[in-house]
Coordinates of all heavy atoms in Angstrom, one line a residue:
Q3 N -8.5 11.9 4.9 CA -9.3 11.1 3.9 C -8.4 10.2 3.2 O -7.3 10.6 2.7 CB -10.0 12.1 2.9 CG -11.1 12.9 3.6 CD -12.2 12.1 4.2 OE1 -12.7 11.2 3.5 NE2 -12.7 12.5 5.3
G10 N -2.0 8.9 -4.4 CA -0.6 9.0 -4.3 C 0.1 7.6 -4.4 O 1.1 7.5 -5.0
N16 N 2.9 3.2 -10.1 CA 3.1 3.3 -11.5 C 4.3 4.0 -11.9 O 4.8 3.8 -13.0 CB 1.8 3.9 -12.2 CG 0.7 2.9 -12.2 OD1 0.9 1.8 -12.8 ND2 -0.4 3.2 -11.7
N18 N 7.2 4.4 -9.8 CA 8.4 3.9 -9.2 C 9.4 5.0 -8.9 O 10.6 4.8 -8.8 CB 9.1 2.8 -9.9 CG 8.2 1.5 -10.0 OD1 7.7 1.1 -8.9 ND2 8.0 1.0 -11.2
D19 N 8.9 6.2 -8.7 CA 9.7 7.4 -8.4 C 10.0 7.4 -6.9 O 9.0 7.5 -6.2 CB 9.0 8.7 -8.9 CG 9.9 9.9 -8.7 OD1 10.3 10.2 -7.5 OD2 10.1 10.6 -9.7
T28 N 5.8 8.8 6.7 CA 6.5 9.5 7.7 C 7.9 9.0 7.8 O 8.2 7.8 7.3 CB 5.9 9.5 9.1 OG1 5.9 8.1 9.5 CG2 4.5 10.0 9.1
A31 N 7.9 5.6 9.5 CA 6.8 4.7 9.2 C 7.3 3.2 9.2 O 8.5 2.9 9.0 CB 6.3 5.1 7.8
E36 N 3.0 -8.3 4.9 CA 2.1 -9.3 5.3 C 1.9 -9.0 6.8 O 2.7 -8.5 7.5 CB 2.7 -10.7 5.1 CG 3.0 -11.1 3.7 CD 3.7 -12.4 3.6 OE1 3.3 -13.3 4.4 OE2 4.7 -12.5 2.8
P37 N 0.7 -9.4 7.3 CA 0.4 -9.1 8.7 C 1.4 -9.5 9.8 O 1.7 -8.8 10.7 CB -0.9 -9.7 9.0 CG -1.5 -9.9 7.6 CD -0.4 -10.1 6.7
D47 N 14.0 2.8 4.1 CA 13.9 1.3 4.0 C 12.7 1.0 3.1 O 12.7 0.1 2.2 CB 13.8 0.6 5.3 CG 14.0 -0.9 5.2 OD1 14.8 -1.4 4.4 OD2 13.3 -1.6 6.0
D57 N 6.7 -3.2 -9.6 CA 6.0 -3.6 -10.8 C 6.3 -2.7 -11.9 O 6.7 -1.5 -11.7 CB 4.5 -3.6 -10.5 CG 4.0 -4.7 -9.5 OD1 4.7 -5.7 -9.4 OD2 3.0 -4.4 -8.8
E61 N 1.3 -2.1 -15.3 CA 1.2 -3.5 -15.4 C -0.1 -4.0 -14.7 O -0.7 -5.0 -15.0 CB 2.4 -4.2 -14.7 CG 2.4 -5.7 -14.7 CD 3.6 -6.3 -14.1 OE1 4.2 -5.8 -13.1 OE2 4.0 -7.4 -14.6
P68 N -13.5 2.1 0.5 CA -13.2 2.2 2.0 C -14.1 1.2 2.7 O -15.3 1.1 2.4 CB -13.5 3.6 2.4 CG -14.4 4.2 1.3 CD -14.1 3.4 0.1
D74 N -7.7 8.6 12.4 CA -6.3 8.2 12.2 C -6.1 6.9 11.5 O -4.9 6.5 11.3 CB -5.5 8.2 13.5 CG -6.0 7.2 14.5 OD1 -7.1 6.6 14.3 OD2 -5.2 6.9 15.4
V81 N -8.9 -4.8 -5.1 CA -8.6 -5.9 -6.0 C -7.5 -5.4 -7.0 O -7.7 -4.3 -7.6 CB -9.8 -6.3 -6.9 CG1 -9.4 -7.4 -7.9 CG2 -10.9 -6.8 -5.9
A98 N -0.6 9.8 10.1 CA -0.1 10.9 11.0 C -1.1 12.1 10.7 O -1.8 12.1 9.7 CB 1.3 11.2 10.6
T107 N -0.3 -1.9 6.7 CA -0.3 -3.4 6.7 C -1.2 -3.9 5.5 O -2.3 -3.4 5.3 CB -0.9 -3.9 8.0 OG1 -0.2 -3.4 9.1 CG2 -0.8 -5.4 8.1
W109 N -3.0 -7.1 3.7 CA -3.5 -8.5 3.8 C -3.9 -8.8 2.4 O -4.7 -8.1 1.8 CB -4.7 -8.6 4.7 CG -4.5 -8.1 6.1 CD1 -4.3 -6.9 6.6 CD2 -4.5 -9.0 7.2 NE1 -4.1 -6.9 7.9 CE2 -4.3 -8.2 8.4 CE3 -4.7 -10.4 7.4 CZ2 -4.2 -8.7 9.7 CZ3 -4.6 -10.9 8.7 CH2 -4.4 -10.0 9.8
W110 N -3.3 -9.8 1.8 CA -3.6 -10.1 0.4 C -3.8 -11.6 0.2 O -3.3 -12.4 0.9 CB -2.5 -9.6 -0.6 CG -1.2 -10.0 -0.2 CD1 -0.3 -9.3 0.6 CD2 -0.5 -11.2 -0.6 NE1 0.9 -10.0 0.7 CE2 0.8 -11.2 0.0 CE3 -0.8 -12.3 -1.4 CZ2 1.7 -12.2 -0.2 CZ3 0.1 -13.3 -1.6 CH2 1.4 -13.2 -1.0

Side-chain angles (χ1 to χ4, degrees):
Q3 294 295 319
N16 282 306
N18 293 311
D19 182 303
T28 61
E36 298 176 40
D47 191 37
D57 291 330
E61 178 180 35
D74 67 343
V81 176
T107 304
W109 301 70
W110 51 270

